[in-house]
Amino acid sequence: MSTARSNSSVPRIDDKDGTYSSGCTLSYWLDSLERPKFPKLMENKTCDFLVVGAGISGITTAYCLAEHDPSKQIILIDDGEICSGETGRTTAHLQIEYDDHYYVIEHMFGEEVARLVCRSNHEAVNFIEQVIKKENIDCEFERLPGYLIPAKESHVKDIIDKEFKASSKAGMTVELLDAESKKPIYPTNYPQSHWLRFPNQGQFHPLKYLCTLCQILTKKFQNVQIFTNSHVLEINDDNKDDGTGEVYVVTSDGKRVDCKKMVLATYVPVNDRVTMYTKMAECRTYAMAFEVDKGVIERALYWDTDEPYNYHRLTSDDKSNSSKELLIVGGKDNLVGHNLSSYEETYNALEAIARDKFPIAGKLRYRWSGQVAEPIDTLPFHGLNPGNKNIYIITGDSGTGITNGTIGALVCRDLLFGCDNPYAKIYDPSRLMIKNPFGYIKHNLEASAALFDYVTPGTGPSDIEDLKLGEGCIFREGLQKLAVYKDTDGTIYKFSAVCPHMKALVRYNPLEKTFDCPFHGSRFDRYGKPINGPTKHGLTDGYCEIIRPKPSASLK
């Protein structure tokens, strides 16, 4: 693959736009295989079920629908390549132990909901394992233990003891490691006792799984079509639930797809202005991959109780025929649009943790970032979109998007076919945030604070011409603010800095070379194209100017 190298020598994709991936950092998953290509939507189509978004949620949904009734016409569509969004930037923990902890769910919702959450996570990982076996997918799937580790001595009583009891009641098999001899050798430098060990978690190579699943969809099922690089711009549901209404999308090229039911598996729904975004906080999370000798670290999932928590896993190294494997570490989450200029400090802190906990970690091979939608009340949203009768959503991954995306696909399959699902009620997108009202208020106040950007100065040089090649900024021009990017050939792209979703101002993310909205998490590539919802429109829709470099004197 053609990649550029940053000063830290990790591969980047500065030569790619947002259709390849939702940022310029390169994950190991994206770099380790070529994704299959699918055509662009070039004509109007009609189908029974339309799935928008070709990541873990959308691909799994399309597969579930096709498996349930192969006679149904199904279309899967994405605005980029398959897995060009956050699925390509995951660390792919198949996590049954809930990242917000079962004692928190029990406290907020009660023991029965905690049991249902646990059961749904078990069933999601079981489903993935069954599909892999049934379809003979080579994706490095394995069952392995997960360790929950107290980051501080105080967390033994405050978190570990509570989670030991609550997870057991919820249905987890869990062991309390209360002696040093029971712990694995790595990671080190955590409190010496009271780790929790959860057997039978899982991990895999997410893109090997999903790319193969896409090929199976189009070869095994004659009624499934996949279209990529087709951006959905208009979404309509006239809310007739008897199948006689108009449910459709229109792409930015004016192509229309009519359907009976629709699933928006777009990470966050792109048909909603406000409702769902008041219920979720958008966060960036960071990951790094280091070489380690094979077999030295126990193959397991590791999570600590820090805030935000840190997480670790191992994966095979397909890019090198060596005795090495890769240790993937992640964490240091922050709100979208915040701490944008301090990403080096973020990575330095994450690397310090990794090398402190795993002193055998070797060469840094990759670093990337991704985005997670944190529901205010800890539970994701799977089901009928509020205000619609024919549009379903899968969102609020809560940092475990691979597992929760699969749960969402299974829930939506049952709802679309009119079958009972035991988890539909607890994951209902229409539920009120009454279980965490203060968190709801706090999140929306934090998001609203971004509107003060209108009165702040710009973030770049006083003269756009002084902007360095390959860099961007927010530039004040009179009373308006512009998002500006100067390409490596000297071409300057100027477009509106006003996010089309709710009119907040975007901020430049120098790590990913994107423009990020701190209000509800919309993101745009360096050319103004939308790459993360909730927005469907680009920054260039409001204003766009392209300034070509002046020819040098020697060329005149």
Side-chain angles (χ1 to χ4, degrees):
M1 293 184 183
S2 173
T3 60
R5 296 253 167 196
S6 71
N7 292 333
S8 59
S9 79
V10 294
R12 288 178 56 88
I13 42 177
D14 294 327
D15 56 339
K16 307 286 188 182
D17 66 13
T19 60
Y20 185 87
S21 183
S22 59
C24 287
T25 59
L26 181 64
S27 72
Y28 166 69
W29 318 118
L30 288 169
D31 198 35
S32 62
L33 84 167
E34 293 284 350
R35 288 167 284 175
K37 304 295 183 182
F38 296 93
K40 185 175 183 177
L41 181 67
M42 301 299 291
E43 59 184 6
N44 296 341
K45 294 283 184 179
T46 300
C47 61
D48 293 297
F49 300 130
L50 172 64
V51 182
V52 183
I56 179 67
S57 302
I59 295 171
T60 307
T61 298
Y63 179 84
C64 288
L65 296 173
E67 272 282 296
H68 188 87
D69 187 347
S71 71
K72 297 297 185 183
Q73 297 280 344
I74 298 166
I75 289 178
L76 173 64
I77 190 172
D78 196 278
D79 64 352
E81 298 184 33
I82 61 171
C83 300
S84 61
E86 299 316 304
T87 297
R89 295 175 165 270
T90 179
T91 53
H93 290 224
L94 296 177
Q95 191 170 327
I96 304 169
E97 164 56 17
Y98 208 65
D99 76 328
D100 284 307
H101 307 310
Y102 285 108
Y103 80 87
V104 175
I105 297 174
E106 179 185 305
H107 174 74
M108 293 176 67
F109 295 96
E111 293 182 10
E112 178 58 24
V113 170
R115 282 192 289 269
L116 288 170
V117 171
C118 182
R119 200 170 88 193
S120 67
N121 280 268
H122 270 291
E123 290 183 10
V125 178
N126 288 343
F127 174 84
I128 290 172
E129 183 176 27
Q130 290 162 7
V131 170
I132 289 168
K133 291 178 178 178
K134 178 180 179 179
E135 304 293 357
N136 195 27
I137 300 175
D138 181 11
C139 60
E140 302 167 27
F141 175 86
E142 60 183 304
R143 291 282 190 169
L144 36 64
Y147 292 93
L148 182 61
I149 308 166
K152 303 175 182 178
E153 289 290 352
S154 61
H155 289 181
V156 170
K157 180 179 179 180
D158 294 342
I159 298 176
I160 297 297
D161 288 347
K162 292 179 181 178
E163 186 63 5
F164 179 56
K165 297 176 182 177
S167 62
S168 298
K169 285 191 290 184
M172 294 291 293
T173 301
V174 56
E175 177 185 3
L176 178 63
L177 306 184
D178 54 0
E180 180 71 15
S181 59
K182 296 181 179 180
K183 292 168 42 181
I185 298 174
Y186 297 102
T188 63
N189 295 334
Y190 277 116
Q192 295 302 302
S193 64
H194 281 76
W195 295 19
L196 296 183
R197 183 181 187 274
F198 301 92
N200 217 30
Q201 309 293 294
Q203 69 176 30
F204 65 171
H205 188 305
L207 266 63
K208 287 185 177 180
Y209 171 71
L210 293 168
C211 288
T212 304
L213 212 54
C214 282
Q215 293 172 319
I216 290 169
L217 275 170
T218 54
K219 293 177 181 178
K220 180 178 177 180
F221 302 102
Q222 299 301 311
N223 293 331
V224 176
Q225 299 176 82
I226 299 177
F227 298 100
T228 56
N229 294 295
S230 304
H231 179 66
V232 169
L233 192 59
E234 180 184 349
I235 299 172
N236 183 76
D237 176 11
D238 63 7
N239 289 323
K240 293 182 179 179
D241 54 6
D242 60 358
T244 63
E246 285 194 314
V247 186
Y248 63 84
V249 302
V250 180
T251 70
S252 55
D253 294 321
K255 306 306 177 187
R256 174 165 162 163
V257 180
D258 286 88
C259 61
K260 295 178 181 176
K261 301 285 184 181
M262 183 191 314
V263 178
L264 295 179
T266 50
Y267 165 69
V268 293
V270 291
N271 66 323
D272 180 35
R273 293 287 292 177
V274 179
T275 304
M276 295 309 301
Y277 304 104
T278 64
K279 299 180 180 183
M280 298 184 289
E282 297 293 327
C283 298
R284 299 298 295 173
T285 188
Y286 302 86
M288 309 178 84
F290 301 88
E291 289 183 351
V292 294
D293 292 329
K294 287 183 179 178
V296 177
I297 301 172
E298 179 187 344
R299 291 180 74 84
L301 306 180
Y302 303 93
W303 325 288
D304 69 20
T305 59
D306 209 351
E307 184 59 44
Y309 73 97
N310 304 290
Y311 44 96
H312 316 87
R313 63 160 288 189
L314 295 164
T315 191
S316 302
D317 181 12
D318 289 347
K319 297 290 290 183
S320 175
N321 294 321
S322 69
S323 60
K324 305 292 184 181
E325 55 189 347
L326 295 180
L327 170 68
I328 298 176
V329 303
K332 295 299 173 188
D333 300 12
N334 61 254
L335 291 172
V336 171
H338 294 251
N339 306 329
L340 293 175
S341 62
S342 59
Y343 65 89
E344 289 294 352
E345 289 89 337
T346 298
Y347 277 120
N348 288 341
L350 190 59
E351 181 170 0
I353 291 172
R355 296 194 183 281
D356 180 52
K357 308 306 180 187
F358 299 88
I360 60 167
K363 177 184 176 181
L364 172 64
R365 286 276 299 280
Y366 296 91
R367 69 180 198 180
W368 68 92
S369 72
Q371 194 150 316
V372 296
E374 289 288 350
I376 302 303
D377 68 357
T378 75
L379 298 182
F381 305 98
H382 309 318
L384 198 61
N385 188 61
N388 291 120
K389 293 185 177 180
N390 300 291
I391 297 178
Y392 298 76
I393 60 174
I394 300 172
T395 190
D397 55 27
S398 189
T400 51
I402 299 297
T403 313
N404 273 328
T406 303
I407 295 171
L410 295 170
V411 170
C412 286
R413 174 202 61 192
D414 289 348
L415 294 178
L416 264 67
F417 282 108
C419 304
D420 290 334
N421 185 285
Y423 316 116
K425 184 176 180 179
I426 64 171
Y427 297 134
D428 184 0
S430 294
R431 70 181 186 270
L432 300 177
M433 296 291 101
I434 58 175
K435 299 298 182 180
N436 188 14
F438 295 110
Y440 178 80
I441 295 169
K442 178 176 180 291
H443 159 62
N444 286 286
L445 287 174
E446 289 174 339
S448 299
L451 297 175
F452 286 104
D453 284 4
Y454 273 97
V455 298
T456 61
T459 60
S462 57
D463 189 334
I464 288 180
E465 294 293 338
D466 294 333
L467 192 62
K468 294 180 181 179
L469 297 178
E471 291 189 359
C473 70
I474 303 300
F475 183 76
R476 180 174 286 283
E477 193 170 85
L479 295 178
Q480 66 176 335
K481 279 191 171 182
L482 301 176
V484 180
Y485 179 75
K486 191 172 187 178
D487 219 340
T488 52
D489 65 357
T491 302
I492 294 175
Y493 297 85
K494 297 169 59 178
F495 31 83
S496 173
V498 179
C499 177
H501 177 238
M502 291 293 287
K503 308 307 180 183
L505 292 174
V506 298
R507 299 170 181 174
Y508 181 65
N509 181 338
L511 172 65
E512 298 293 359
K513 295 191 176 183
T514 58
F515 292 93
D516 301 354
C517 179
F519 197 28
H520 288 145
S522 294
R523 297 176 62 244
F524 309 81
D525 73 8
R526 59 194 181 278
Y527 304 116
K529 181 187 297 184
I531 50 177
N532 277 100
T535 186
K536 300 187 294 294
H537 296 272
L539 297 175
T540 53
D541 292 4
Y543 169 81
C544 182
E545 181 182 358
I546 300 175
I547 305 172
R548 304 293 180 186
K550 297 177 181 179
S552 63
S554 61
L555 296 178
K556 292 181 179 179

